[in-house]
Amino acid sequence: MSVPVVYFVIPCYNEEQVLPETVKRLTEKLHAMISAGLADPKSRMLFVDDGSRDGTWRMISEFCGANKLVSGIKLAHNRGHQNALLAGLMTAREFADCAVSLDADLQDDVDVLDEFVKKYLEGCDVVYGVRNKRDTDTAFKRMTALGFYRFMAVLGVDVVYNHADYRLMSRRALDALSEYREVNLFLRGLVPLIGYRSAVVTYDRHERFAGESKYPLKKMLAFAVDGITSFSVKPLKLIFHLGVLVSLIGFVGTAWAGIAHFAAGWAGWLAAFWSLWLLGGLILLGMGVVGTYLGKIYAEVKARPRYKIEEFKK
Ligand code: UDP
Ligand code: MG
């Protein structure tokens, strides 16, 4: 295989505090890879400005002018991490033999980038970056993450444990990805569906270099729900089973209350009061789950564009 054109795709939302360091480290890395014959000199870092409100785009533009290894695209709105990534990957697809997506905050260890490309040269179309340990996370985040992966496994969804969006994809894999038109994007679930030959590279995830996480708890939970509901309809079936179970309990309970009433003169208002709350809660829960799917269908049916590129600096 000839030396590949490698694109690093980096989504950025309000990242002016980390960008100079990220550009510096990635430039060093890319130079080293070009010298080592792992990357063609046409390789680039492609920064995607996801509608930032700070000086991120101005900064990216300046780097584009000063550093020939830097390119940038500016999205017209903030479309979220996954859509920004997609915009970058689909742009990279036109120029690159393979693209590696990574975060702007240097949490993904740039030292292992060579290993991704080596796996690609060995014939892999997808290379997943997998975290060695999660000791930079809080106990709470570790627990919820584990719960998420377990739940996905129970639902039969194929996701790679402890893999976020640090991954290499070949042009062939990117072509395959471009055929998935879904609006509710969850790349971690989609990429394994492509099914080409894949490999894993393990790495230590660092602390965010500077700035704040753009994934506070609320957004993280929403992302997890998105992941689950975009890849499995089992929650709907679970509601059905729960309905059957609760109806059975209701049936038996009613019979029992009737007997107790006539045999022992029992006043059942307390039982009736709490069953009302229980049933009300379950019904609302069920409606919530169905509603979540309905909302997804709504978005998919409208099929609005997932991102709009306003500017492209090559
Ligand atoms: N990001 C983005 N759009 C958003 C939110 C985040 O492009 O609406 C980018 C962000 O700049 C970063 C990456 O997605 O490069 C991951 O975000 P972050 O580091 O805040 O998430 P965390 O690592 O804390 O989960
Ligand atoms: Mg981060």
Side-chain angles (χ1 to χ4, degrees), residues 103 105 107 205 208 213:
D103 286 358
D105 55 11
Q107 283 194 283
R205 194 163 161 95
R208 186 174 240 287
S213 169

PDB file of all heavy atoms in Angstrom, residues 103 105 107 205 208 213, ligand 2:
ATOM      1  N   ASP A 103     -10.932  14.476  19.749  1.00  0.00           N
ATOM      2  CA  ASP A 103     -11.434  15.674  20.417  1.00  0.00           C
ATOM      3  C   ASP A 103     -10.394  16.780  20.392  1.00  0.00           C
ATOM      4  O   ASP A 103      -9.192  16.519  20.330  1.00  0.00           O
ATOM      5  CB  ASP A 103     -11.788  15.367  21.874  1.00  0.00           C
ATOM      6  CG  ASP A 103     -13.066  14.563  21.982  1.00  0.00           C
ATOM      7  OD1 ASP A 103     -13.682  14.286  20.933  1.00  0.00           O
ATOM      8  OD2 ASP A 103     -13.438  14.206  23.116  1.00  0.00           O
ATOM      9  N   ASP A 105      -9.693  18.723  22.840  1.00  0.00           N
ATOM     10  CA  ASP A 105      -9.163  19.060  24.164  1.00  0.00           C
ATOM     11  C   ASP A 105      -7.962  18.217  24.597  1.00  0.00           C
ATOM     12  O   ASP A 105      -7.585  18.233  25.761  1.00  0.00           O
ATOM     13  CB  ASP A 105     -10.272  18.952  25.209  1.00  0.00           C
ATOM     14  CG  ASP A 105     -10.924  17.581  25.198  1.00  0.00           C
ATOM     15  OD1 ASP A 105     -10.377  16.671  24.546  1.00  0.00           O
ATOM     16  OD2 ASP A 105     -11.974  17.421  25.826  1.00  0.00           O
ATOM     17  N   GLN A 107      -7.725  15.146  25.134  1.00  0.00           N
ATOM     18  CA  GLN A 107      -8.002  14.014  26.030  1.00  0.00           C
ATOM     19  C   GLN A 107      -7.620  12.704  25.350  1.00  0.00           C
ATOM     20  O   GLN A 107      -7.217  11.758  26.002  1.00  0.00           O
ATOM     21  CB  GLN A 107      -9.484  13.978  26.409  1.00  0.00           C
ATOM     22  CG  GLN A 107      -9.851  15.001  27.445  1.00  0.00           C
ATOM     23  CD  GLN A 107     -11.216  14.726  28.028  1.00  0.00           C
ATOM     24  OE1 GLN A 107     -12.230  15.009  27.416  1.00  0.00           O
ATOM     25  NE2 GLN A 107     -11.243  14.140  29.208  1.00  0.00           N
ATOM     26  N   ARG A 205      -6.584   7.890  28.515  1.00  0.00           N
ATOM     27  CA  ARG A 205      -7.268   9.158  28.280  1.00  0.00           C
ATOM     28  C   ARG A 205      -6.798  10.176  29.313  1.00  0.00           C
ATOM     29  O   ARG A 205      -6.760   9.896  30.499  1.00  0.00           O
ATOM     30  CB  ARG A 205      -8.768   8.960  28.379  1.00  0.00           C
ATOM     31  CG  ARG A 205      -9.563  10.120  27.840  1.00  0.00           C
ATOM     32  CD  ARG A 205     -10.986   9.668  27.605  1.00  0.00           C
ATOM     33  NE  ARG A 205     -11.920  10.765  27.507  1.00  0.00           N
ATOM     34  CZ  ARG A 205     -12.311  11.326  26.369  1.00  0.00           C
ATOM     35  NH1 ARG A 205     -11.831  10.884  25.238  1.00  0.00           N
ATOM     36  NH2 ARG A 205     -13.200  12.291  26.366  1.00  0.00           N
ATOM     37  N   ARG A 208      -8.864  16.863  30.409  1.00  0.00           N
ATOM     38  CA  ARG A 208      -9.039  17.934  29.435  1.00  0.00           C
ATOM     39  C   ARG A 208      -7.904  18.937  29.612  1.00  0.00           C
ATOM     40  O   ARG A 208      -7.591  19.309  30.745  1.00  0.00           O
ATOM     41  CB  ARG A 208     -10.385  18.585  29.710  1.00  0.00           C
ATOM     42  CG  ARG A 208     -10.799  19.612  28.734  1.00  0.00           C
ATOM     43  CD  ARG A 208     -12.209  20.065  29.054  1.00  0.00           C
ATOM     44  NE  ARG A 208     -13.093  19.795  27.922  1.00  0.00           N
ATOM     45  CZ  ARG A 208     -13.068  20.494  26.791  1.00  0.00           C
ATOM     46  NH1 ARG A 208     -12.220  21.485  26.658  1.00  0.00           N
ATOM     47  NH2 ARG A 208     -13.879  20.210  25.803  1.00  0.00           N
ATOM     48  N   SER A 213     -15.789  20.870  29.896  1.00  0.00           N
ATOM     49  CA  SER A 213     -16.475  19.843  29.134  1.00  0.00           C
ATOM     50  C   SER A 213     -17.771  20.411  28.574  1.00  0.00           C
ATOM     51  O   SER A 213     -18.453  21.187  29.230  1.00  0.00           O
ATOM     52  CB  SER A 213     -16.801  18.657  30.032  1.00  0.00           C
ATOM     53  OG  SER A 213     -17.671  17.787  29.354  1.00  0.00           O
TER      54      SER A 213
HETATM   55 MG    MG B   2     -13.312  16.119  26.208  1.00  0.00          MG
END
